[in-house]
Amino acid sequence: MPHPVPLDAPEVVEGVVDHLLYVSYDERTVLRLTAVTGDEEGITAVGRALFGVRPGESLRLHGNWVHHPRHGRQFRAEQCERTMPADERAIRFYLGSSMIRGIGPVLASAIVDVFGEQTLKVIDADPQRLLEVHGIGQIRLGRITAAWQEQKAIAEIMVFLQGLQITPALAVKIYTTYADTDDDPMRIVRRTPYRLCRDVRGVGFINADKIALAVGIPKHSDARLQAALLHELDQAGANGHCHLPVRLLIARTRQLLTDDDPASVEILDDAVLRQALAALHGQGEVVIETLPLPVLDGTDALTDTEIAMLPHRHRDETQLASHVRRLLTSTPALSGLAPWAEHVAALTGAETAGLTDEQHKAILTALTRPLSILTGGPGCGKTHTLQTLVDLAEQADAVVALAAPTGKAAKRLEETCGQPAMTVHRLIRPADGDSLFDHASVLETADLVIIDEASMLDLALARRLFAALRDGCHLLLVGDTDQLPSVGPGRVLRDLLDVEGIPRTRLTKVFRQLDEGAAITLNAHRILRGERPREDPKVFWNRPVSSAEDIAERVVDLVCELMPKHFGAGPEDIQVLCPGKKNVAGMTDLNLRLQQRLNPPSDDRPQHYHGGAAFRLGDRVQQVRNNPHRGETGVFNGSSGSISAVDTETHQLTVTFHDGEVATYPFIDLDELVHAYALTVHRSQGSEYPYVIVPMVSAAGMMLLQRNLLYTAVTRARHGVMLIGQTDAVERAIANNRTQRRNTALTHRITHDPAAV
């Protein structure tokens, strides 16, 4: 740890950010600053106040000099202010660092060569003079002028927000959100800051509240209380819940707003918060109902519960329930195509003689009932069952459509069944008339739709799927209920299994495993039974490591050197799967370390910093939210690929995804991407990798160290699994079978709410 050098008073240093040396998972930033005054040629600055700064920015830092035992003299920044560059060197660096869209390093040098220290004044006050620079014509002049005005507006917002510790990236998003509207972005920030919660992704209630209190909006204002209630409902969705009991919503909102101000007690009275909630209900921004729902205490008891939901989740849940009932009561399209009972009973050939009674039942049910479910763990014969089902249906000239929630799962399903498969999003995507292959037409003619990895279906995607199915179409949902639930709100597969009228088959027989992944399958079932996995010298290893820092270093060595050397697998064949994002050896930390080793900074690798992370040419990335308008046919949550281009002049980068989709991202939209050298186990669902490394750290906590999480991680691997970490973390995960319940009402709406639409 750094040891402060005694000083009489804090100091101030000014300079231009040359490059970032390190950004840790907890946002502590280390950078190299080129000083603009004094004898200092280069300064190493460190501190959380520096999070989010980018190369090329001019900074004024307030803090103290300290001495690090290994890295020497550093400036510990307690406060960071952004300033305009003053001398030629700073201006050249500023313009050439992609801060102003349309100006790259070469053009920046040309402009500064002509105007010197007057460059920024010329651009601001007399931009027509830029035509004096070789290479600038009227079109480029227009782009530069527009970009400069945009940057000035953004800078105004940045200056206002920097004292509130709100990152520059959010200032850019705020400006961009409102730039093409009749509203002035700065006026919105000052007068109606709680709008930002709803309009600007990433701002959230905490940041909006900082702004609101700073501009004098009272703590007891209706806008503040309502924004806090909506925030808690939104956070509940992020944790998988479709609704919250009103009493719990009130309690969480009170906790969110509680501070040391005695006046807050009156503001946070139950009656006041309920009045704010009632106002939201009256405005149509919250739905309030009383339903007989299970008590989340492990029992089957029901109690009348007053719940609150966001309107779009209420729509998704009620409409999904309606479409489930519609499908269940429709006439099966396959019923008249063949005597299915006789066909299934006749399955005695060499390839099908191994079918169990459970598999026969699953096949017959899928062919005779409009909705059915097939579940089972690894090695239980789901693959063989699906192959036989598809063959039988095609022999009767039935039209079969195959899909899965992710591209990798769809590819695996395609290989299993020997016919094309696609993602669920692409299967149900409405026709736009421009596509060479209209996926919507598949559902118009399909007799049987098979959805693999159905445990990944969240409420919104399931609603769209069921709504797209015509009456009589057969739907088979295939999944493993022992895996983690969907990333998005809901637990659709489990809720459907709780509806007695939906036929289901669970495959329970684990077939003898003869392939190289046998130990993985057997250990997965051991984990489910609460037993420790057994070592296998070829495919399953468990390496105890005591400290989190040692675990992180060991994981990097395994990915970059040891496993490629011993197994001939490239780093791209190895996926690190973490229980959580935070802490040492979490997803964020390991992504930073692995990027530094596998794709370090280089002159031939352009990059852009966003949110403290460098997005660099060649980086592995994953999409983290659905965007049907990105790329040619949309990019969806869980899609993975790599950065294939970074254009610092146009302020955008390109990602080529594994499914062939190519999508362009403006720099302000990079919060749609995360680095994918390491992923959370949740984000790996539906995917399969040759080798998986699972760092197990006790700091992840009981909420993450769960049996189904470890089981899901292990079942992502084909050829090898490495558990590396603290022994007690592995033991706690195996022992912890208390999966987090989710607040849903889908089962009730299907069975007791025929008026739902």
Side-chain angles (χ1 to χ4, degrees), residues 27-48:
E27 301 184 356
R28 188 178 69 92
T29 301
V30 184
L31 57 80
R32 193 67 174 169
L33 194 75
T34 300
V36 297
T37 59
D39 298 329
E40 298 285 349
E41 293 186 357
I43 296 171
T44 299
V46 59
R48 289 186 177 85

Side-chain angles (χ1 to χ4, degrees), residues 620-624 638-641 672-676 679 683:
R620 289 161 57 176
V621 292
Q622 186 183 74
Q623 178 84 4
V624 296
S639 299
S640 298
E672 290 187 14
L673 298 172
V674 295
H675 289 87
L679 295 172
R683 294 221 145 270

Side-chain angles (χ1 to χ4, degrees), residues 130-373:
L130 291 175
L131 294 173
E132 300 173 23
V133 180
H134 177 72
I136 296 182
Q138 287 291 346
I139 294 177
R140 177 166 275 186
L141 173 64
R143 292 173 181 167
I144 293 173
T145 303
W148 177 259
Q149 294 303 320
E150 175 184 293
Q151 187 63 26
K152 282 181 63 179
I154 293 171
E156 181 186 8
I157 299 174
M158 282 184 181
V159 169
F160 175 71
L161 297 182
Q162 67 182 2
L164 303 174
Q165 287 77 52
I166 296 175
T167 66
L170 283 182
V172 176
K173 288 190 74 70
I174 291 169
Y175 171 82
T176 306
T177 299
Y178 302 113
D180 295 329
T181 69
D182 295 333
D183 292 321
D184 174 50
M186 194 65 219
R187 187 186 304 116
I188 293 173
V189 169
R190 289 184 175 276
R191 295 187 179 180
T192 55
Y194 290 111
R195 277 186 62 182
L196 305 179
C197 298
R198 309 179 195 185
D199 298 345
V200 186
R201 191 167 193 94
V203 171
F205 175 79
I206 301 300
N207 285 325
D209 199 41
K210 287 180 184 177
I211 299 170
L213 296 178
V215 299
I217 293 178
K219 286 184 177 182
H220 62 272
S221 68
D222 291 340
R224 182 175 190 245
L225 299 182
Q226 292 174 14
L229 289 161
L230 291 173
H231 167 78
E232 287 300 334
L233 283 176
D234 194 55
Q235 286 296 108
N239 291 322
H241 300 294
C242 299
H243 66 257
L244 279 181
V246 168
R247 57 176 177 74
L248 183 58
L249 172 60
I250 296 295
R252 289 184 178 180
T253 304
R254 183 185 300 108
Q255 183 177 13
L256 173 68
L257 298 178
T258 296
D259 55 25
D260 296 329
D261 185 354
S264 295
V265 176
E266 182 177 343
I267 297 169
L268 302 178
D269 181 73
D270 265 17
V272 175
L273 291 175
R274 282 184 173 272
Q275 184 177 1
L277 183 60
L280 287 171
H281 178 59
Q283 297 160 15
E285 297 187 64
V286 171
V287 176
I288 299 177
E289 296 177 288
T290 299
L291 300 176
L293 297 175
V295 180
L296 298 187
D297 60 0
T299 72
D300 294 327
L302 298 178
T303 183
D304 284 344
T305 305
E306 186 183 26
I307 65 171
M309 301 181 74
L310 293 175
H312 66 275
R313 291 192 190 125
H314 182 266
R315 176 206 65 198
D316 288 340
E317 197 168 67
T318 54
Q319 289 186 1
L320 175 56
S322 177
H323 287 300
V324 170
R325 289 194 305 274
R326 172 181 63 84
L327 202 61
L328 281 171
T329 56
S330 63
T331 302
L334 294 176
S335 58
L337 290 184
W340 296 116
E342 296 177 15
H343 283 15
V344 173
L347 293 175
T348 57
E351 295 184 359
T352 58
L355 289 172
T356 65
D357 290 343
E358 292 172 338
Q359 290 171 308
H360 277 87
K361 175 190 172 186
I363 294 169
L364 183 59
T365 303
L367 292 169
T368 58
R369 300 293 295 273
L371 174 61
S372 60
I373 300 173

Side-chain angles (χ1 to χ4, degrees), residues 528-559:
L528 282 183
R529 296 193 299 268
E531 302 171 6
R532 285 186 61 87
R534 295 177 184 171
E535 286 257 356
D536 183 285
K538 294 182 178 180
V539 298
F540 203 102
W541 311 275
N542 192 348
R543 298 290 182 268
V545 179
S546 57
S547 77
E549 181 64 31
D550 289 343
I551 293 169
E553 292 180 359
R554 184 69 170 171
V555 166
V556 174
D557 287 340
L558 283 165
V559 173

Side-chain angles (χ1 to χ4, degrees), residues 395-414:
Q395 288 171 19
D397 294 325
V399 178
V400 181
L402 306 176
T406 67
K408 287 188 175 181
K411 184 67 175 177
R412 194 165 64 249
L413 181 62
E414 182 173 305

Side-chain angles (χ1 to χ4, degrees), residues 117-131:
E117 292 185 359
Q118 300 301 308
T119 295
L120 299 185
K121 291 182 180 179
V122 169
I123 296 175
D124 187 42
D126 194 7
Q128 286 294 322
R129 291 193 61 194
L130 291 175
L131 294 173

